[in-house]
Every structure is written in C-alpha cells, then in structure tokens.
Amino acid sequence: MSWYESGGFTITRDKSKDSAGAGIRFRLSIYLGDGQTRIVELTKSDVQCIKREATRALKEKREES
C-alpha cells in the first residue's frame, strides 16, 4: 500500500510535543483520499503496541502460508 492510497499512513516523531510529563510523542498521519489526512497523536507506548500487534499479525500470516 502506498502512502498516497486511501488508508495509507506514516508515523513520525513530533519533537515539538515532547515533554518531561508527556514523554516522547509521535504523529500518525492517515491518508483518507481526495487530499484528506487525519492526524492522531501517539505516545511511545502506543507506537510500541502498534509494532507488537503488526509483528504478531505478520507472524500469523507467515504460519498460514
């Protein structure tokens, strides 16, 4: 899937939102099509959870093949 297709996304570090209380912050940008993008702010824990779930899903897919 390309970033420019509907449902494409990127996760980037948002250093401007980092703080001692909030920790390291990230930005999830989801492309909805027709030039529309939605932004979701994430914590480091959120990104780690996404990575863990993606790894699990890919492992399940490999085991099915």
Side-chain angles (χ1 to χ4, degrees):
M1 173 179 289
S2 166
W3 157 249
Y4 296 105
E5 293 178 35
S6 184
F9 68 94
T10 61
I11 298 176
T12 55
R13 172 96 182 269
D14 190 353
K15 292 182 181 181
S16 68
K17 304 275 184 181
D18 289 357
S19 70
I24 298 172
R25 305 296 288 192
F26 296 85
R27 177 179 296 205
L28 169 64
S29 301
I30 305 170
Y31 182 70
L32 302 175
D34 297 328
Q36 296 184 42
T37 304
R38 294 292 182 256
I39 306 296
V40 178
E41 292 186 12
L42 302 171
T43 64
K44 181 179 176 183
S45 295
D46 295 332
V47 173
Q48 289 171 331
C49 183
I50 291 167
K51 179 181 176 185
R52 189 170 40 253
E53 288 300 311
T55 300
R56 181 192 56 76
L58 290 169
K59 181 179 178 185
E60 286 178 6
K61 180 65 178 164
R62 279 192 305 270
E63 290 173 355
E64 289 175 4
S65 300

